[in-house]
Amino acid sequence: GGGARTRAQGSQRTRAPVIAWAPGMDTSRNVKITRPGYDKLQAEIKWLWTVERPRVTAEVEAAAALGDRSENAEYIYGKKRLREIDRRLQFLSKKMERLWVVDPGSHGRPGRADFGAFVTIEDEQGGQRTYQLVGPDEVDADAGRISIDSPVGKALLGREVDDEVDVMRPKGPTVLTVIDIAYR
C-alpha cells in the first residue's frame, strides 16, 4: 500500500502529510507540491488571516468613523483591499484542497529525474544549470525551480545521467545533456 491521499483543509490544518506515490494511486485531480512549496502557501494564508486582514479591517473601521463614506478614499480603498484579500484567501483555500505534498524521490525510480529532483544539465555551449522539477505553484525560474509541465521540465522527467534531451524552447530548439540527478 502507498498510503492514503489527504486533503489540506485550508487554514484548519497546518501541515499536510507527505504522501509516497504507489502504483495505481489516483492523483489525477491533485497537483503535486513539495513540502517547502506547501509551507509557503500555508504561511501566506496565515499572514493574510492574522496580519493583513486585521490591519486593513482596522483601517476601514477608522476611516468609517470619520463620517461620509462616499467620499472617503481610505474607506473605499480599504473595502476594495478587503475584497481582494478575501478573494485571495478563497483562491488559496480551494488550491490547498487539491495539493498533494510529495516527498521528492519517493515515487520514481532511483537514478531517474522525477518530481522534486535537482537535475543538472549542460547545454550545447557547455553552460551548466541545475533545475529542480516542481509543481506549477512553486515555479521560480530565477531560483532554478521549473514546472514539471514546462517544456524543459517535461523533457527532463524520466531521464537519467548522460541522456541527451531535445527541447523546444521559446528561443528555439536545443539539446541538453543530463549530467547529474540528486534528491535533497
Side-chain angles (χ1 to χ4, degrees), residues 76 78-88:
I76 293 168
K79 292 296 281 186
K80 179 181 178 199
R81 180 69 181 125
L82 279 175
R83 287 190 300 274
E84 291 169 356
I85 291 168
D86 289 343
R87 276 194 301 272
R88 180 70 179 160

Side-chain angles (χ1 to χ4, degrees), residues 37-171:
Y38 182 88
D39 290 346
K40 184 177 178 181
L41 291 175
Q42 195 69 17
E44 181 181 357
I45 289 172
K46 182 178 180 182
W47 176 79
L48 287 169
W49 271 118
T50 62
V51 177
E52 186 66 358
R53 195 171 196 293
R55 180 187 67 77
V56 174
T57 300
E59 289 174 2
V60 167
E61 289 171 357
L66 297 176
D68 186 9
R69 296 175 184 178
S70 66
E71 294 185 21
N72 186 330
E74 289 83 13
Y75 177 82
I76 293 168
Y77 173 76
K79 292 296 281 186
K80 179 181 178 199
R81 180 69 181 125
L82 279 175
R83 287 190 300 274
E84 291 169 356
I85 291 168
D86 289 343
R87 276 194 301 272
R88 180 70 179 160
L89 284 166
Q90 184 178 19
F91 171 79
L92 289 172
S93 293
K94 287 198 179 292
K95 179 181 292 258
M96 297 297 277
E97 291 174 3
R98 292 182 43 236
L99 294 178
W100 178 36
V101 179
V102 177
D103 180 16
S106 69
H107 58 288
R109 294 191 309 211
R112 287 187 167 266
D114 210 332
F115 181 82
F118 290 85
V119 182
T120 303
I121 53 96
E122 184 174 277
D123 61 27
E124 295 168 314
Q125 293 75 35
Q128 292 185 6
R129 179 90 198 246
T130 300
Y131 294 111
Q132 183 183 21
L133 303 176
V134 297
D137 297 304
E138 302 177 85
V139 172
D140 182 347
D142 293 337
R145 289 190 297 274
I146 62 171
S147 173
I148 56 174
D149 299 325
S150 70
V152 173
K154 284 180 182 178
L156 293 175
L157 280 174
R159 301 300 180 156
E160 297 177 345
V161 173
D162 295 328
D163 282 356
E164 288 190 351
V165 182
D166 294 316
V167 178
M168 180 57 78
R169 300 179 303 179
K171 294 188 251 180

